[in-house]
Amino acid sequence: MTDAGTLPGQPRGGVLSGPATTRAVNVLAPNPSAMTLDGTNTWIVSEPGSGLAVVVDPGPLDEGHLRAVIDTAERAGKRIALTLLTHGHPDHAEGASRFAELTRTNVRALDPALRLGDEGLAPGDVITTGGLEMRVVPTPGHTGDSLSFHLPADRAVLTGDTVLGRGTTVVAHPDGRLGDYLDSLRRLRSLTVDDGIRTVLPGHGPVLDDAQGAVEFYLAHRASRLAQVETAVENGCTTPFEVVAQVYAGVDRSLWPAAELSVRAQLEYLRDHGLIGPG
């Protein structure tokens, strides 16, 4: 058995639902799959002693899950006052409209199409509900609208799908772009170095207790994959599927469609930087 401490980011073991930091509690959605890992992590975030809470990513449209999130907050003496989205993929956002009905809250997101209410989210915004301080960090790449939320008091960052608790994420071409994603990882690395961020609260998978190690692993992984894709093209692969078959040969074939999205993003990046010829 591999010690979790030796894995990238030092993932925590045990049950995923429950308190993760002083201010953040996870309620795991019942939507496990190869892409969502154990399911979507729905985060309840609140300042200690406050009666108000913020929910990040209500998750899928599952009535039982949405009510479980509300019940978890209420058992802690909290009223949910605001809903935030890290990005618009259904496993994170599909339940947002119904959740807003149940909680009578606004939904704030970067994408105007996902918002309910007058306010959106923009880089540099600070969420202050109930005395909380949570800063909006732009982390596009997985999708064009991906955001992370920096929780300074807990030295933590909620990363959505930008950094997962296990494995690596998909750059969902064409909306997701690899250049943007690499910039986002570097931005997160700066938070670990300059702002003392230690903990990753991901959109899927376990909490990571070594944020810098996790981001460094992601950057190294992307560099390695880019080199592999470039080599595959040099070896005669002419289509994204051919590249997937060579580079991701050891990956479960059920994940190849997702891998193809990332390969398309990598090919675009390599072409944009003049490392391979036009497709």
Side-chain angles (χ1 to χ4, degrees), residues 3 22 39 50 83 102 135 159 168-169 186 202 209 224 229 249 269:
D3 180 3
T22 300
S50 172
T83 302
L102 292 170
R135 303 171 186 170
T159 54
T168 56
T169 198
R186 296 182 189 109
D209 287 318
S224 175
V229 170
Y269 179 89

Side-chain angles (χ1 to χ4, degrees), residues 96-261:
S97 179
R98 174 58 177 155
F99 190 72
E101 290 179 2
L102 292 170
T103 57
R104 298 182 181 179
T105 60
N106 289 340
V107 177
R108 295 179 63 182
L110 181 62
D111 184 350
L114 299 171
R115 300 172 187 170
L116 292 174
D118 296 331
E119 286 190 285
L121 289 172
D125 283 353
V126 181
I127 308 301
T128 57
T129 302
L132 190 68
E133 181 184 349
M134 192 159 56
R135 303 171 186 170
V136 179
V137 181
T139 48
H142 169 66
T143 61
D145 69 331
S146 288
L147 298 171
S148 294
F149 298 101
H150 175 197
L151 193 55
D154 283 350
R155 295 189 176 183
V157 61
L158 292 85
T159 54
D161 283 355
T162 299
V163 175
L164 304 178
R166 185 170 66 251
T168 56
T169 198
V170 172
V171 178
H173 180 83
D175 180 40
R177 295 176 59 88
L178 183 58
D180 291 342
Y181 185 67
L182 293 174
D183 288 343
S184 294
L185 290 177
R186 296 182 189 109
R187 190 171 295 116
L188 291 174
R189 181 173 60 186
S190 293
L191 285 179
T192 71
V193 174
D194 300 333
D195 294 89
I197 291 300
R198 296 176 179 172
T199 305
V200 172
L201 306 176
H204 304 280
V207 171
L208 301 176
D209 287 318
D210 177 15
Q212 185 172 352
V215 175
E216 294 287 1
F217 168 77
Y218 265 58
L219 284 165
H221 170 78
R222 286 297 167 189
S224 175
R225 283 296 196 210
L226 270 174
Q228 291 173 327
V229 170
E230 186 176 1
T231 298
V233 173
E234 291 172 352
N235 289 342
C237 293
T238 60
T239 67
F241 181 81
E242 289 174 352
V243 174
V244 169
Q246 179 169 317
V247 173
Y248 293 82
V251 175
D252 188 324
R253 289 181 70 97
S254 69
L255 297 175
W256 279 20
E260 187 170 343
L261 294 178

